[in-house]
């Protein structure tokens, strides 16, 4: 494995660690330090504004690390949409497929599809779990993270729809080569925030299996049927469907076609 790819794996761990911490620190700043109530309108507006700024920060980190990620769905959609070399690296190094699949089959005594494990990003998941452990050690009464408040079927449908929407949005923005980075990040941040608010009272509106995994692991319910179906299977299937639908409906950009021609000529 090359130095750049090892650096990418380290970046994934650090960014996922930072992501779970950032959400907790934002809540503590608004509710504990500033003293706003849980349902105070001014507090909610301030929290969402800081969240948007936080997403801009992580967008800059993604660019600075040349592809580092804190969400395995981002890596999965990129691997499917990218070239063969990137896909092999993602499956072989960034995503440990068979170990997770075997663990799920042993836990539930049923065979899982081959793609189940392919959505699990080892460094992102490990970074999230480590981050949550540090959070709980530092702030024991901080909370329990996202919790499913509806039945498993509606929860899976909710997370699936939210994931489908955000992945489709991300793919669309990636094709807009003429748009500025600021505009892309602005649209992406507002979209994520809107979808999070829509699903926050139902599933937590996470759209990030690794982040949920960190909290679920701390609670000890990371291998329950509800967690696997709602926060892993549904988002992974929605990501695959979003990529397939997008490629079916949207023609490749001129830049992508030019790159393909260059590779063929080589």
């Amino acid at each position: 494995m090359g130095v750049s790819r090892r650096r990418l794996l380290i970046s994934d761990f650090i960014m996922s660690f930072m992501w779970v911490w950032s959400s907790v620190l934002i809540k503590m700043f608004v509710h504990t330090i500033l003293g706003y109530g849980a349902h105070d309108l001014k507090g909610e507006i301030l929290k969402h504004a800081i969240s948007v700024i936080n997403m801009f920060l992580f967008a800059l980190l993604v660019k600075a690390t040349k592809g580092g990620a804190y969400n395995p769905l981002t890596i999965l959609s990129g691997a499917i949409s990218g070239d063969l070399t990137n896909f092999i690296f993602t499956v072989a190094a960034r995503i440990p497929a068979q170990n997770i699949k075997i663990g799920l089959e042993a836990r539930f005594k049923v065979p899982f599809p081959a793609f189940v494990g392919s959505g699990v990003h080892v460094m992102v998941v490990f970074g999230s779990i480590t981050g949550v452990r540090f959070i709980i050690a530092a702030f024991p009464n901080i909370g329990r993270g996202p919790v499913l408040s509806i039945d498993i079927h509606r929860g899976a449908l909710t997370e699936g729809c939210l994931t489908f929407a955000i992945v489709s949005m991300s793919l669309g923005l990636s094709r807009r080569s003429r748009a500025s980075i600021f505009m892309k990040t602005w649209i992406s941040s507002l979209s994520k925030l809107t979808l999070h608010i829509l699903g926050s009272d139902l599933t937590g509106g996470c759209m990030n299996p690794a982040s949920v995994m960190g909290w679920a692991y701390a609670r000890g319910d990371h291998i329950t049927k509800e967690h696997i179906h709602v926060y892993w299977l549904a988002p992974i299937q929605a990501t695959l469907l979003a990529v397939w639908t997008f490629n079916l409906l949207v023609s490749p950009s001129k830049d992508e076609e030019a790159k393909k021609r260059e590779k063929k000529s080589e």
Side-chain angles (χ1 to χ4, degrees), residues 232-243:
W232 281 106
L233 290 181
I236 290 173
Q237 292 176 3
T239 300
L240 296 174
L241 180 61
V243 174

Side-chain angles (χ1 to χ4, degrees), residues 97-261:
Q98 289 302 317
N99 290 339
I100 300 299
K101 179 175 180 288
I102 292 171
L104 295 178
E105 290 177 343
R107 171 66 176 82
F108 295 106
K109 303 296 188 294
V110 293
F112 278 78
F115 65 80
V116 170
S118 66
V120 184
H121 184 320
V122 61
M123 296 307 290
V124 170
V125 172
F126 185 56
S128 298
I129 291 174
T130 305
V132 170
R133 284 200 166 191
F134 274 87
I135 291 170
I136 294 176
F139 311 106
N141 300 321
I142 195 64
R144 301 183 60 200
V147 178
L148 182 66
S149 59
I150 53 179
D151 64 81
I152 184 173
H153 301 292
R154 286 190 292 174
L157 180 62
T158 300
E159 278 294 310
C161 290
L162 295 176
T163 301
F164 181 88
I166 197 60
V167 171
S168 299
M169 175 67 69
S170 299
L171 291 172
L173 291 173
S174 66
R175 291 287 177 91
R176 294 177 61 87
S177 57
R178 296 182 180 179
S180 65
I181 296 176
F182 175 84
M183 185 57 64
K184 288 182 180 180
T185 307
W186 175 253
I187 296 173
S188 176
S189 300
L190 290 183
S191 301
K192 290 177 182 177
L193 179 60
T194 302
L195 293 171
H196 169 71
I197 294 172
L198 290 174
S200 58
D201 292 334
L202 304 175
T203 63
C206 303
M207 300 167 287
N208 186 340
S211 180
V212 185
M213 177 69 174
W215 291 102
Y217 187 84
R219 296 193 303 264
D221 58 10
H222 57 290
I223 55 173
T224 61
K225 183 178 180 180
E226 289 77 9
H227 175 75
I228 297 298
H229 279 274
V230 174
Y231 297 108
W232 281 106
L233 290 181
I236 290 173
Q237 292 176 3
T239 300
L240 296 174
L241 180 61
V243 174
W244 179 81
T245 305
F246 185 83
N247 291 333
L248 180 66
L249 299 178
V250 181
S251 58
S253 63
K254 294 181 179 179
D255 294 339
E256 290 182 350
E257 291 179 351
K259 289 181 181 179
K260 290 181 180 178
R261 291 172 185 173

Side-chain angles (χ1 to χ4, degrees), residues 62-81:
V62 170
K63 186 177 180 181
T65 56
K66 297 181 180 179
Y70 55 90
N71 190 337
L73 301 180
T74 303
I75 300 168
L76 179 61
S77 62
I80 298 170
S81 304

